Amino acid sequence: MTEPVAPSWVPTRALGRSVLLTGLFLLLGVALGRVDLVLLAAPFAIGAALNLRRIPQSVPEVTITADEAYLVEGGAVQAGLTVANPDALGYDLVVVRTKTSPWLRLEHADRPFAITVPSDGWAAIDLPGEALRWGRQDVGPAAAAAAACGGLLSCRPVVTPAHGVRVYPITEPFKATEAMPAAAGLVGAHRSRRLGEGGELAGVRQFAPGDRLRRIDWRVSLRTRDLHVASTLSDRDAEVLILLDLLGEVGLSGGVGGTSSVLDTTVRAAAAISEHYLHRGDRVSLLEYGATARRLRAASGRRQYLTVLEWLLDVHADPVDEEYEPALGSHQISTSALVVVLTPLIDPRAADMLAQLTQAGRFVVAVDTLPPDAAPPVRNQWSPLGTRLWRLERENVLGRLREHGVPVVSWAGAGSLDLVLRDVARMAAAPRGR
């Protein structure tokens, strides 16, 4: 394996023309015996000699800078380029150009910059702009080519690797009902069906050893002539599993101010739901339904929220061959967890997965992430009819899921899951037939 050639200084066409004209005038002057031709060659020879008396030994150093702070879609990006000259000889001209991610709208980043850099100095180029879409975006790579010695020498372009910028998804204001199908933790904000220390009154019963004195209900005790205490329901936290269907991507992403694709809706909804439940002290985990099947373990707190945002940056379409089934079993999901499945329901395997989880006794809520205007591409005169048939088939899939007890709701920001969660909690609290 050959090593890459390091950038070096090479003659320019200007130096070639100077040498050519000097040699031509000298040759003609000697051949024709004309002193004036020799005198015409003198400026070219003297100028080249004076400019080349010192030759640069170092190439320019290009550094890409960008925001490292918390950056959200639609936020301002402060990027820039810094060109340093470590040599004792100044650069007459430095041409710098950089590439950027299409989701970073940086001012004047699509054109080259021409600057001069003094000896042992530096020059900066500001590239302010706006982040249009979530993900790991790149500023760069950047290339710089310098000219020195009066333009007689130039260095081969120096390329600097790209600098990554993390753009987190915007979280729409999201609120959900406090009803949860199961609250299995030790402490939390949700009312459970288990007796314990809490703020929700469950009833009044006779005093028993171990009861606290402050729980005594004196009104009932005086009436019945026996000590009675007020029993309460314990407040417990819940585990929320957000399952992301990544079997396919539908729709075109227009950034934060444009249309949303399935991945856009999925990632932004996952961020909003995670923020809501983590803010309430619940435990949140994430799982991909695709070929890779990445998983983020359940945890709570602000650190988990930042971990969720970082985890979502690497979400991408992860299709699986049609003859294979993505590896996901009900044994991987806690029996007390609320499973929120973000899916466009365009792959039959996603519907089968939802039905299997429900039949296994898991509390499942399906969130439809398909854009309202999504449709197959128009290829001929039969495309509109095919689109109608496709929509009818999809409505049939939604109907069959509801028959299996899988609630399906379209994502619409705040309040999207209120009615569905309330129904799921009511069904979980209902007595089961034997």
Side-chain angles (χ1 to χ4, degrees), residues 69-116:
Y70 188 84
L71 183 61
V72 185
E73 291 178 298
V77 182
Q78 294 297 330
L81 303 173
T82 303
V83 182
N85 179 9
D87 206 291
L89 187 66
Y91 299 148
D92 300 322
L93 179 67
V94 180
V95 179
V96 188
R97 186 158 195 173
T98 181
K99 292 183 178 180
T100 60
S101 168
W103 299 114
L104 294 178
R105 184 186 296 164
L106 303 182
E107 294 182 9
H108 310 303
D110 57 341
R111 65 177 181 85
F113 295 87
I115 57 177
T116 59

mmCIF file of all heavy atoms in Angstrom, residues 69-116:
data_model
loop_
_atom_site.group_PDB
_atom_site.id
_atom_site.type_symbol
_atom_site.label_atom_id
_atom_site.label_comp_id
_atom_site.label_asym_id
_atom_site.label_seq_id
_atom_site.Cartn_x
_atom_site.Cartn_y
_atom_site.Cartn_z
ATOM 1 N N ALA A 69 -22.249 23.281 21.348
ATOM 2 C CA ALA A 69 -23.289 23.375 22.369
ATOM 3 C C ALA A 69 -24.562 22.672 21.887
ATOM 4 O O ALA A 69 -24.615 22.100 20.799
ATOM 5 C CB ALA A 69 -23.573 24.844 22.687
ATOM 6 N N TYR A 70 -25.588 22.744 22.727
ATOM 7 C CA TYR A 70 -26.877 22.128 22.436
ATOM 8 C C TYR A 70 -27.522 22.844 21.257
ATOM 9 O O TYR A 70 -27.905 24.002 21.360
ATOM 10 C CB TYR A 70 -27.761 22.211 23.679
ATOM 11 C CG TYR A 70 -29.051 21.442 23.583
ATOM 12 C CD1 TYR A 70 -29.101 20.093 23.873
ATOM 13 C CD2 TYR A 70 -30.220 22.080 23.203
ATOM 14 C CE1 TYR A 70 -30.291 19.398 23.804
ATOM 15 C CE2 TYR A 70 -31.411 21.392 23.124
ATOM 16 C CZ TYR A 70 -31.442 20.048 23.425
ATOM 17 O OH TYR A 70 -32.627 19.349 23.349
ATOM 18 N N LEU A 71 -27.624 22.163 20.114
ATOM 19 C CA LEU A 71 -28.145 22.758 18.892
ATOM 20 C C LEU A 71 -29.382 21.994 18.455
ATOM 21 O O LEU A 71 -29.369 20.773 18.323
ATOM 22 C CB LEU A 71 -27.076 22.717 17.789
ATOM 23 C CG LEU A 71 -27.427 23.368 16.454
ATOM 24 C CD1 LEU A 71 -27.715 24.849 16.642
ATOM 25 C CD2 LEU A 71 -26.287 23.182 15.465
ATOM 26 N N VAL A 72 -30.485 22.723 18.231
ATOM 27 C CA VAL A 72 -31.766 22.129 17.871
ATOM 28 C C VAL A 72 -32.134 22.578 16.460
ATOM 29 O O VAL A 72 -31.645 23.605 15.971
ATOM 30 C CB VAL A 72 -32.860 22.551 18.885
ATOM 31 C CG1 VAL A 72 -34.181 21.839 18.606
ATOM 32 C CG2 VAL A 72 -32.400 22.260 20.292
ATOM 33 N N GLU A 73 -32.964 21.786 15.807
ATOM 34 C CA GLU A 73 -33.456 22.146 14.476
ATOM 35 C C GLU A 73 -34.004 23.567 14.468
ATOM 36 O O GLU A 73 -34.748 23.968 15.360
ATOM 37 C CB GLU A 73 -34.573 21.189 14.057
ATOM 38 C CG GLU A 73 -34.140 19.780 13.775
ATOM 39 C CD GLU A 73 -35.323 18.902 13.429
ATOM 40 O OE1 GLU A 73 -36.208 18.739 14.286
ATOM 41 O OE2 GLU A 73 -35.385 18.396 12.302
ATOM 42 N N GLY A 74 -33.628 24.307 13.435
ATOM 43 C CA GLY A 74 -34.071 25.684 13.330
ATOM 44 C C GLY A 74 -33.207 26.664 14.083
ATOM 45 O O GLY A 74 -33.426 27.876 13.977
ATOM 46 N N GLY A 75 -32.217 26.160 14.838
ATOM 47 C CA GLY A 75 -31.349 27.038 15.606
ATOM 48 C C GLY A 75 -30.217 27.594 14.757
ATOM 49 O O GLY A 75 -29.907 27.114 13.671
ATOM 50 N N ALA A 76 -29.590 28.650 15.274
ATOM 51 C CA ALA A 76 -28.484 29.307 14.573
ATOM 52 C C ALA A 76 -27.198 28.506 14.759
ATOM 53 O O ALA A 76 -26.912 27.992 15.844
ATOM 54 C CB ALA A 76 -28.294 30.727 15.092
ATOM 55 N N VAL A 77 -26.453 28.409 13.678
ATOM 56 C CA VAL A 77 -25.171 27.706 13.680
ATOM 57 C C VAL A 77 -24.063 28.727 13.495
ATOM 58 O O VAL A 77 -24.137 29.576 12.586
ATOM 59 C CB VAL A 77 -25.104 26.649 12.557
ATOM 60 C CG1 VAL A 77 -23.789 25.896 12.605
ATOM 61 C CG2 VAL A 77 -26.271 25.692 12.660
ATOM 62 N N GLN A 78 -23.063 28.663 14.327
ATOM 63 C CA GLN A 78 -21.903 29.533 14.201
ATOM 64 C C GLN A 78 -20.709 28.668 13.805
ATOM 65 O O GLN A 78 -20.058 28.050 14.641
ATOM 66 C CB GLN A 78 -21.628 30.266 15.520
ATOM 67 C CG GLN A 78 -22.704 31.251 15.917
ATOM 68 C CD GLN A 78 -22.859 32.392 14.911
ATOM 69 O OE1 GLN A 78 -21.900 32.779 14.249
ATOM 70 N NE2 GLN A 78 -24.072 32.916 14.806
ATOM 71 N N ALA A 79 -20.451 28.615 12.504
ATOM 72 C CA ALA A 79 -19.315 27.849 11.985
ATOM 73 C C ALA A 79 -18.291 28.809 11.400
ATOM 74 O O ALA A 79 -18.567 30.006 11.194
ATOM 75 C CB ALA A 79 -19.780 26.846 10.928
ATOM 76 N N GLY A 80 -17.131 28.287 11.119
ATOM 77 C CA GLY A 80 -16.087 29.148 10.560
ATOM 78 C C GLY A 80 -14.870 28.356 10.149
ATOM 79 O O GLY A 80 -14.716 27.168 10.468
ATOM 80 N N LEU A 81 -13.992 29.020 9.401
ATOM 81 C CA LEU A 81 -12.721 28.450 8.950
ATOM 82 C C LEU A 81 -11.591 29.341 9.439
ATOM 83 O O LEU A 81 -11.702 30.571 9.406
ATOM 84 C CB LEU A 81 -12.676 28.342 7.429
ATOM 85 C CG LEU A 81 -13.783 27.536 6.740
ATOM 86 C CD1 LEU A 81 -13.676 27.672 5.236
ATOM 87 C CD2 LEU A 81 -13.687 26.067 7.142
ATOM 88 N N THR A 82 -10.527 28.734 9.878
ATOM 89 C CA THR A 82 -9.333 29.450 10.300
ATOM 90 C C THR A 82 -8.149 28.933 9.495
ATOM 91 O O THR A 82 -7.892 27.722 9.492
ATOM 92 C CB THR A 82 -9.069 29.273 11.804
ATOM 93 O OG1 THR A 82 -10.209 29.719 12.539
ATOM 94 C CG2 THR A 82 -7.849 30.072 12.227
ATOM 95 N N VAL A 83 -7.457 29.853 8.803
ATOM 96 C CA VAL A 83 -6.289 29.494 8.006
ATOM 97 C C VAL A 83 -5.064 30.091 8.688
ATOM 98 O O VAL A 83 -4.970 31.310 8.860
ATOM 99 C CB VAL A 83 -6.410 30.020 6.562
ATOM 100 C CG1 VAL A 83 -5.203 29.591 5.734
ATOM 101 C CG2 VAL A 83 -7.704 29.520 5.924
ATOM 102 N N ALA A 84 -4.147 29.227 9.102
ATOM 103 C CA ALA A 84 -2.939 29.653 9.800
ATOM 104 C C ALA A 84 -1.721 29.451 8.901
ATOM 105 O O ALA A 84 -1.665 28.511 8.099
ATOM 106 C CB ALA A 84 -2.765 28.874 11.098
ATOM 107 N N ASN A 85 -0.751 30.355 9.043
ATOM 108 C CA ASN A 85 0.508 30.293 8.298
ATOM 109 C C ASN A 85 1.649 30.089 9.294
ATOM 110 O O ASN A 85 2.091 31.035 9.944
ATOM 111 C CB ASN A 85 0.709 31.571 7.499
ATOM 112 C CG ASN A 85 2.016 31.563 6.720
ATOM 113 O OD1 ASN A 85 2.697 30.537 6.633
ATOM 114 N ND2 ASN A 85 2.375 32.701 6.146
ATOM 115 N N PRO A 86 2.142 28.853 9.433
ATOM 116 C CA PRO A 86 3.238 28.613 10.379
ATOM 117 C C PRO A 86 4.603 28.997 9.833
ATOM 118 O O PRO A 86 5.606 28.876 10.548
ATOM 119 C CB PRO A 86 3.142 27.106 10.626
ATOM 120 C CG PRO A 86 2.597 26.553 9.353
ATOM 121 C CD PRO A 86 1.670 27.608 8.789
ATOM 122 N N ASP A 87 4.653 29.438 8.574
ATOM 123 C CA ASP A 87 5.931 29.747 7.934
ATOM 124 C C ASP A 87 6.354 31.186 8.222
ATOM 125 O O ASP A 87 5.524 32.046 8.542
ATOM 126 C CB ASP A 87 5.816 29.527 6.418
ATOM 127 C CG ASP A 87 7.153 29.210 5.786
ATOM 128 O OD1 ASP A 87 8.005 30.118 5.745
ATOM 129 O OD2 ASP A 87 7.342 28.062 5.350
ATOM 130 N N ALA A 88 7.639 31.443 8.082
ATOM 131 C CA ALA A 88 8.171 32.795 8.257
ATOM 132 C C ALA A 88 7.975 33.652 7.017
ATOM 133 O O ALA A 88 8.298 34.850 7.027
ATOM 134 C CB ALA A 88 9.662 32.735 8.604
ATOM 135 N N LEU A 89 7.443 33.057 5.960
ATOM 136 C CA LEU A 89 7.181 33.767 4.711
ATOM 137 C C LEU A 89 5.680 33.892 4.519
ATOM 138 O O LEU A 89 4.938 32.917 4.655
ATOM 139 C CB LEU A 89 7.811 33.014 3.535
ATOM 140 C CG LEU A 89 7.782 33.710 2.166
ATOM 141 C CD1 LEU A 89 8.656 34.960 2.184
ATOM 142 C CD2 LEU A 89 8.265 32.762 1.072
ATOM 143 N N GLY A 90 5.208 35.092 4.226
ATOM 144 C CA GLY A 90 3.772 35.307 4.072
ATOM 145 C C GLY A 90 3.233 34.711 2.786
ATOM 146 O O GLY A 90 3.952 34.526 1.797
ATOM 147 N N TYR A 91 1.950 34.420 2.796
ATOM 148 C CA TYR A 91 1.275 33.913 1.606
ATOM 149 C C TYR A 91 0.645 35.082 0.865
ATOM 150 O O TYR A 91 -0.055 35.908 1.443
ATOM 151 C CB TYR A 91 0.186 32.905 1.984
ATOM 152 C CG TYR A 91 0.705 31.673 2.702
ATOM 153 C CD1 TYR A 91 -0.069 31.020 3.659
ATOM 154 C CD2 TYR A 91 1.967 31.157 2.423
ATOM 155 C CE1 TYR A 91 0.389 29.900 4.311
ATOM 156 C CE2 TYR A 91 2.447 30.029 3.071
ATOM 157 C CZ TYR A 91 1.644 29.408 4.019
ATOM 158 O OH TYR A 91 2.115 28.297 4.668
ATOM 159 N N ASP A 92 0.901 35.149 -0.444
ATOM 160 C CA ASP A 92 0.324 36.220 -1.251
ATOM 161 C C ASP A 92 -1.182 36.032 -1.435
ATOM 162 O O ASP A 92 -1.939 37.005 -1.477
ATOM 163 C CB ASP A 92 1.007 36.274 -2.617
ATOM 164 C CG ASP A 92 2.504 36.523 -2.492
ATOM 165 O OD1 ASP A 92 2.890 37.302 -1.609
ATOM 166 O OD2 ASP A 92 3.281 35.924 -3.261
ATOM 167 N N LEU A 93 -1.619 34.782 -1.530
ATOM 168 C CA LEU A 93 -3.032 34.503 -1.763
ATOM 169 C C LEU A 93 -3.338 33.092 -1.272
ATOM 170 O O LEU A 93 -2.572 32.157 -1.520
ATOM 171 C CB LEU A 93 -3.386 34.620 -3.248
ATOM 172 C CG LEU A 93 -4.843 34.329 -3.630
ATOM 173 C CD1 LEU A 93 -5.768 35.384 -3.055
ATOM 174 C CD2 LEU A 93 -4.992 34.248 -5.146
ATOM 175 N N VAL A 94 -4.463 32.957 -0.578
ATOM 176 C CA VAL A 94 -4.943 31.643 -0.147
ATOM 177 C C VAL A 94 -6.402 31.530 -0.586
ATOM 178 O O VAL A 94 -7.227 32.384 -0.243
ATOM 179 C CB VAL A 94 -4.833 31.449 1.378
ATOM 180 C CG1 VAL A 94 -5.342 30.066 1.772
ATOM 181 C CG2 VAL A 94 -3.397 31.629 1.842
ATOM 182 N N VAL A 95 -6.715 30.503 -1.334
ATOM 183 C CA VAL A 95 -8.082 30.239 -1.792
ATOM 184 C C VAL A 95 -8.624 29.079 -0.966
ATOM 185 O O VAL A 95 -8.051 27.985 -0.963
ATOM 186 C CB VAL A 95 -8.121 29.917 -3.291
ATOM 187 C CG1 VAL A 95 -9.555 29.618 -3.725
ATOM 188 C CG2 VAL A 95 -7.549 31.074 -4.105
ATOM 189 N N VAL A 96 -9.724 29.334 -0.261
ATOM 190 C CA VAL A 96 -10.313 28.344 0.638
ATOM 191 C C VAL A 96 -11.718 28.033 0.174
ATOM 192 O O VAL A 96 -12.485 28.938 -0.192
ATOM 193 C CB VAL A 96 -10.354 28.855 2.096
ATOM 194 C CG1 VAL A 96 -10.782 27.748 3.042
ATOM 195 C CG2 VAL A 96 -9.009 29.420 2.505
ATOM 196 N N ARG A 97 -12.049 26.751 0.215
ATOM 197 C CA ARG A 97 -13.417 26.346 -0.134
ATOM 198 C C ARG A 97 -13.808 25.173 0.748
ATOM 199 O O ARG A 97 -12.969 24.331 1.085
ATOM 200 C CB ARG A 97 -13.518 25.961 -1.609
ATOM 201 C CG ARG A 97 -14.964 25.681 -2.038
ATOM 202 C CD ARG A 97 -15.155 25.834 -3.514
ATOM 203 N NE ARG A 97 -16.568 25.913 -3.866
ATOM 204 C CZ ARG A 97 -17.013 26.173 -5.075
ATOM 205 N NH1 ARG A 97 -16.151 26.413 -6.056
ATOM 206 N NH2 ARG A 97 -18.306 26.235 -5.328
ATOM 207 N N THR A 98 -15.080 25.130 1.115
ATOM 208 C CA THR A 98 -15.559 24.069 1.999
ATOM 209 C C THR A 98 -16.887 23.518 1.499
ATOM 210 O O THR A 98 -17.658 24.217 0.832
ATOM 211 C CB THR A 98 -15.722 24.594 3.444
ATOM 212 O OG1 THR A 98 -16.158 23.517 4.273
ATOM 213 C CG2 THR A 98 -16.755 25.705 3.505
ATOM 214 N N LYS A 99 -17.126 22.265 1.828
ATOM 215 C CA LYS A 99 -18.418 21.646 1.601
ATOM 216 C C LYS A 99 -19.194 21.630 2.916
ATOM 217 O O LYS A 99 -18.606 21.629 3.993
ATOM 218 C CB LYS A 99 -18.253 20.210 1.090
ATOM 219 C CG LYS A 99 -17.668 20.097 -0.304
ATOM 220 C CD LYS A 99 -17.615 18.643 -0.734
ATOM 221 C CE LYS A 99 -17.085 18.504 -2.149
ATOM 222 N NZ LYS A 99 -17.026 17.080 -2.582
ATOM 223 N N THR A 100 -20.486 21.602 2.813
ATOM 224 C CA THR A 100 -21.326 21.518 4.004
ATOM 225 C C THR A 100 -22.482 20.568 3.739
ATOM 226 O O THR A 100 -22.832 20.295 2.590
ATOM 227 C CB THR A 100 -21.900 22.892 4.409
ATOM 228 O OG1 THR A 100 -22.691 23.411 3.332
ATOM 229 C CG2 THR A 100 -20.786 23.868 4.741
ATOM 230 N N SER A 101 -23.049 20.074 4.815
ATOM 231 C CA SER A 101 -24.237 19.237 4.705
ATOM 232 C C SER A 101 -25.380 20.046 4.096
ATOM 233 O O SER A 101 -25.520 21.241 4.371
ATOM 234 C CB SER A 101 -24.646 18.722 6.088
ATOM 235 O OG SER A 101 -25.932 18.139 6.055
ATOM 236 N N PRO A 102 -26.210 19.432 3.269
ATOM 237 C CA PRO A 102 -27.348 20.183 2.703
ATOM 238 C C PRO A 102 -28.345 20.643 3.753
ATOM 239 O O PRO A 102 -29.165 21.511 3.469
ATOM 240 C CB PRO A 102 -27.989 19.163 1.739
ATOM 241 C CG PRO A 102 -27.510 17.831 2.202
ATOM 242 C CD PRO A 102 -26.148 18.047 2.762
ATOM 243 N N TRP A 103 -28.257 20.097 4.972
ATOM 244 C CA TRP A 103 -29.175 20.496 6.032
ATOM 245 C C TRP A 103 -28.588 21.567 6.932
ATOM 246 O O TRP A 103 -29.166 21.879 7.976
ATOM 247 C CB TRP A 103 -29.593 19.281 6.859
ATOM 248 C CG TRP A 103 -30.294 18.244 6.049
ATOM 249 C CD1 TRP A 103 -29.865 16.987 5.761
ATOM 250 C CD2 TRP A 103 -31.566 18.376 5.398
ATOM 251 N NE1 TRP A 103 -30.774 16.330 4.985
ATOM 252 C CE2 TRP A 103 -31.823 17.165 4.741
ATOM 253 C CE3 TRP A 103 -32.503 19.410 5.307
ATOM 254 C CZ2 TRP A 103 -32.984 16.946 4.012
ATOM 255 C CZ3 TRP A 103 -33.658 19.197 4.566
ATOM 256 C CH2 TRP A 103 -33.893 17.983 3.936
ATOM 257 N N LEU A 104 -27.449 22.132 6.533
ATOM 258 C CA LEU A 104 -26.881 23.294 7.208
ATOM 259 C C LEU A 104 -26.831 24.435 6.202
ATOM 260 O O LEU A 104 -26.071 24.375 5.228
ATOM 261 C CB LEU A 104 -25.473 22.997 7.743
ATOM 262 C CG LEU A 104 -25.362 21.966 8.864
ATOM 263 C CD1 LEU A 104 -23.902 21.764 9.244
ATOM 264 C CD2 LEU A 104 -26.173 22.381 10.086
ATOM 265 N N ARG A 105 -27.646 25.427 6.401
ATOM 266 C CA ARG A 105 -27.693 26.568 5.488
ATOM 267 C C ARG A 105 -26.720 27.627 6.004
ATOM 268 O O ARG A 105 -27.059 28.472 6.825
ATOM 269 C CB ARG A 105 -29.118 27.114 5.402
ATOM 270 C CG ARG A 105 -29.275 28.257 4.395
ATOM 271 C CD ARG A 105 -30.677 28.828 4.484
ATOM 272 N NE ARG A 105 -31.678 27.858 4.094
ATOM 273 C CZ ARG A 105 -32.984 27.982 4.370
ATOM 274 N NH1 ARG A 105 -33.401 29.020 5.088
ATOM 275 N NH2 ARG A 105 -33.844 27.066 3.974
ATOM 276 N N LEU A 106 -25.486 27.585 5.490
ATOM 277 C CA LEU A 106 -24.440 28.512 5.911
ATOM 278 C C LEU A 106 -24.246 29.585 4.846
ATOM 279 O O LEU A 106 -24.222 29.279 3.645
ATOM 280 C CB LEU A 106 -23.121 27.769 6.144
ATOM 281 C CG LEU A 106 -23.174 26.621 7.168
ATOM 282 C CD1 LEU A 106 -21.795 26.008 7.332
ATOM 283 C CD2 LEU A 106 -23.707 27.112 8.503
ATOM 284 N N GLU A 107 -24.109 30.810 5.271
ATOM 285 C CA GLU A 107 -23.971 31.930 4.336
ATOM 286 C C GLU A 107 -22.644 31.837 3.571
ATOM 287 O O GLU A 107 -21.584 31.664 4.177
ATOM 288 C CB GLU A 107 -24.031 33.258 5.097
ATOM 289 C CG GLU A 107 -25.381 33.541 5.740
ATOM 290 C CD GLU A 107 -25.409 34.886 6.438
ATOM 291 O OE1 GLU A 107 -24.430 35.650 6.259
ATOM 292 O OE2 GLU A 107 -26.380 35.174 7.151
ATOM 293 N N HIS A 108 -22.741 31.956 2.258
ATOM 294 C CA HIS A 108 -21.595 32.011 1.352
ATOM 295 C C HIS A 108 -20.725 30.753 1.418
ATOM 296 O O HIS A 108 -19.565 30.782 1.013
ATOM 297 C CB HIS A 108 -20.716 33.233 1.641
ATOM 298 C CG HIS A 108 -21.479 34.527 1.727
ATOM 299 N ND1 HIS A 108 -22.263 34.982 0.695
ATOM 300 C CD2 HIS A 108 -21.587 35.431 2.732
ATOM 301 C CE1 HIS A 108 -22.818 36.132 1.047
ATOM 302 N NE2 HIS A 108 -22.439 36.426 2.285
ATOM 303 N N ALA A 109 -21.276 29.646 1.922
ATOM 304 C CA ALA A 109 -20.480 28.422 1.985
ATOM 305 C C ALA A 109 -20.358 27.740 0.628
ATOM 306 O O ALA A 109 -19.586 26.795 0.480
ATOM 307 C CB ALA A 109 -21.089 27.456 2.993
ATOM 308 N N ASP A 110 -21.117 28.203 -0.349
ATOM 309 C CA ASP A 110 -21.083 27.585 -1.672
ATOM 310 C C ASP A 110 -20.093 28.247 -2.614
ATOM 311 O O ASP A 110 -20.074 27.941 -3.809
ATOM 312 C CB ASP A 110 -22.485 27.624 -2.292
ATOM 313 C CG ASP A 110 -23.027 29.048 -2.390
ATOM 314 O OD1 ASP A 110 -22.489 29.919 -1.674
ATOM 315 O OD2 ASP A 110 -23.978 29.272 -3.164
ATOM 316 N N ARG A 111 -19.262 29.162 -2.135
ATOM 317 C CA ARG A 111 -18.304 29.833 -3.004
ATOM 318 C C ARG A 111 -16.931 29.847 -2.345
ATOM 319 O O ARG A 111 -16.801 29.721 -1.121
ATOM 320 C CB ARG A 111 -18.752 31.268 -3.282
ATOM 321 C CG ARG A 111 -18.781 32.165 -2.048
ATOM 322 C CD ARG A 111 -19.168 33.581 -2.414
ATOM 323 N NE ARG A 111 -19.192 34.494 -1.274
ATOM 324 C CZ ARG A 111 -18.143 35.130 -0.814
ATOM 325 N NH1 ARG A 111 -16.945 34.925 -1.395
ATOM 326 N NH2 ARG A 111 -18.226 35.953 0.209
ATOM 327 N N PRO A 112 -15.864 29.976 -3.131
ATOM 328 C CA PRO A 112 -14.518 30.025 -2.550
ATOM 329 C C PRO A 112 -14.229 31.398 -1.940
ATOM 330 O O PRO A 112 -14.803 32.411 -2.345
ATOM 331 C CB PRO A 112 -13.606 29.730 -3.740
ATOM 332 C CG PRO A 112 -14.380 30.173 -4.934
ATOM 333 C CD PRO A 112 -15.830 29.926 -4.615
ATOM 334 N N PHE A 113 -13.317 31.409 -1.007
ATOM 335 C CA PHE A 113 -12.864 32.628 -0.356
ATOM 336 C C PHE A 113 -11.398 32.854 -0.702
ATOM 337 O O PHE A 113 -10.597 31.911 -0.655
ATOM 338 C CB PHE A 113 -13.018 32.539 1.169
ATOM 339 C CG PHE A 113 -14.442 32.449 1.640
ATOM 340 C CD1 PHE A 113 -15.082 31.222 1.744
ATOM 341 C CD2 PHE A 113 -15.145 33.591 1.969
ATOM 342 C CE1 PHE A 113 -16.388 31.141 2.174
ATOM 343 C CE2 PHE A 113 -16.458 33.524 2.401
ATOM 344 C CZ PHE A 113 -17.080 32.297 2.497
ATOM 345 N N ALA A 114 -11.043 34.089 -1.051
ATOM 346 C CA ALA A 114 -9.651 34.464 -1.351
ATOM 347 C C ALA A 114 -9.178 35.429 -0.271
ATOM 348 O O ALA A 114 -9.763 36.499 -0.085
ATOM 349 C CB ALA A 114 -9.548 35.107 -2.727
ATOM 350 N N ILE A 115 -8.140 35.031 0.443
ATOM 351 C CA ILE A 115 -7.627 35.841 1.545
ATOM 352 C C ILE A 115 -6.100 35.859 1.476
ATOM 353 O O ILE A 115 -5.478 35.065 0.764
ATOM 354 C CB ILE A 115 -8.069 35.282 2.916
ATOM 355 C CG1 ILE A 115 -7.614 33.820 3.052
ATOM 356 C CG2 ILE A 115 -9.569 35.404 3.089
ATOM 357 C CD1 ILE A 115 -7.942 33.215 4.402
ATOM 358 N N THR A 116 -5.505 36.781 2.212
ATOM 359 C CA THR A 116 -4.054 36.829 2.387
ATOM 360 C C THR A 116 -3.737 36.532 3.852
ATOM 361 O O THR A 116 -4.463 36.970 4.746
ATOM 362 C CB THR A 116 -3.493 38.202 2.006
ATOM 363 O OG1 THR A 116 -4.107 39.214 2.818
ATOM 364 C CG2 THR A 116 -3.757 38.497 0.536
#
